[in-house]
Amino acid sequence: MTSPLNPFTASPALMRRWYETSRAVAAGLEPSLVHLVEIRASQINGCAHCLNMHTKAARAKGETEQRVYLLAAWREAPVYTDRERAALAWTEALTRLSEGDTHTAAYEAVKAHFTEEEQVNLTLMINIINGWNRIVLGFGLWSEEVPAEVAA
């Protein structure tokens, strides 16, 4: 089997900007919410690398094992706030756009719990993690290590 293409080596300037954009978008929301969005989108997309990285980072930043483990069943688990539930519904709706119109109801919940600026930040965060999932899955990337910047 051939080694996967490393997008950071093949296109360093654009990948550096993509990474910097990711960090800027994440800074616009509380870190615990960012972790939940990253993990949930990565679950939906089946991105093992991103799941490995973001669950480790979330736990390193104080997220509980229970909330990480229950994330796939967040609707039934009473451990998430209404704001987190709205963000998770929005994450699922935007990640699964091709499955039909599920975003209208999800957006109503987002509007109830997020300012307009936060709505944009959350939507960009969802797009960012979906983009990372596609880069990682597309090029078959894997690493056991959590980059220091992600853990921070």
Side-chain angles (χ1 to χ4, degrees):
M1 180 174 183
T2 62
S3 298
L5 180 142
N6 182 336
F8 290 94
T9 303
S11 185
L14 279 177
M15 289 306 297
R16 183 174 47 256
R17 281 188 229 124
W18 176 251
Y19 178 77
E20 290 166 359
T21 299
S22 299
R23 300 295 294 161
V25 169
L29 295 164
E30 60 269 31
S32 61
L33 187 68
V34 169
H35 291 307
L36 294 177
V37 167
E38 290 170 334
I39 295 166
R40 186 63 191 127
S42 298
Q43 287 174 333
I44 293 166
N45 290 322
C47 186
H49 167 81
C50 292
L51 280 168
N52 187 52
M53 179 172 63
H54 293 300
T55 56
K56 285 180 180 179
R59 287 192 311 271
K61 287 299 183 180
E63 189 57 78
T64 67
E65 295 288 321
Q66 180 188 39
R67 285 170 39 98
V68 170
Y69 295 151
L70 291 173
L71 196 50
W74 64 267
R75 284 179 180 81
E76 292 79 28
V79 299
Y80 304 102
T81 67
D82 289 342
R83 179 177 166 91
E84 290 168 339
R85 290 176 182 285
L88 292 168
W90 191 231
T91 299
E92 289 186 3
L94 294 183
T95 301
R96 295 179 164 146
L97 275 176
S98 66
E99 295 178 18
D101 183 14
T102 61
H103 68 282
T104 304
Y107 184 58
E108 291 304 316
V110 166
K111 288 192 319 188
H113 294 283
F114 291 83
T115 66
E116 288 184 352
E117 181 179 6
E118 289 173 329
Q119 291 171 42
V120 172
N121 293 346
L122 177 60
T123 302
L124 288 171
M125 188 68 239
I126 294 164
N127 279 279
I128 290 287
I129 190 56
N130 276 289
W132 278 117
N133 291 164
R134 282 146 180 80
I135 291 167
V136 169
L137 287 167
F139 293 121
L141 305 178
W142 173 261
S143 175
E144 281 292 334
E145 299 301 316
V146 175
E149 308 84 46
V150 173

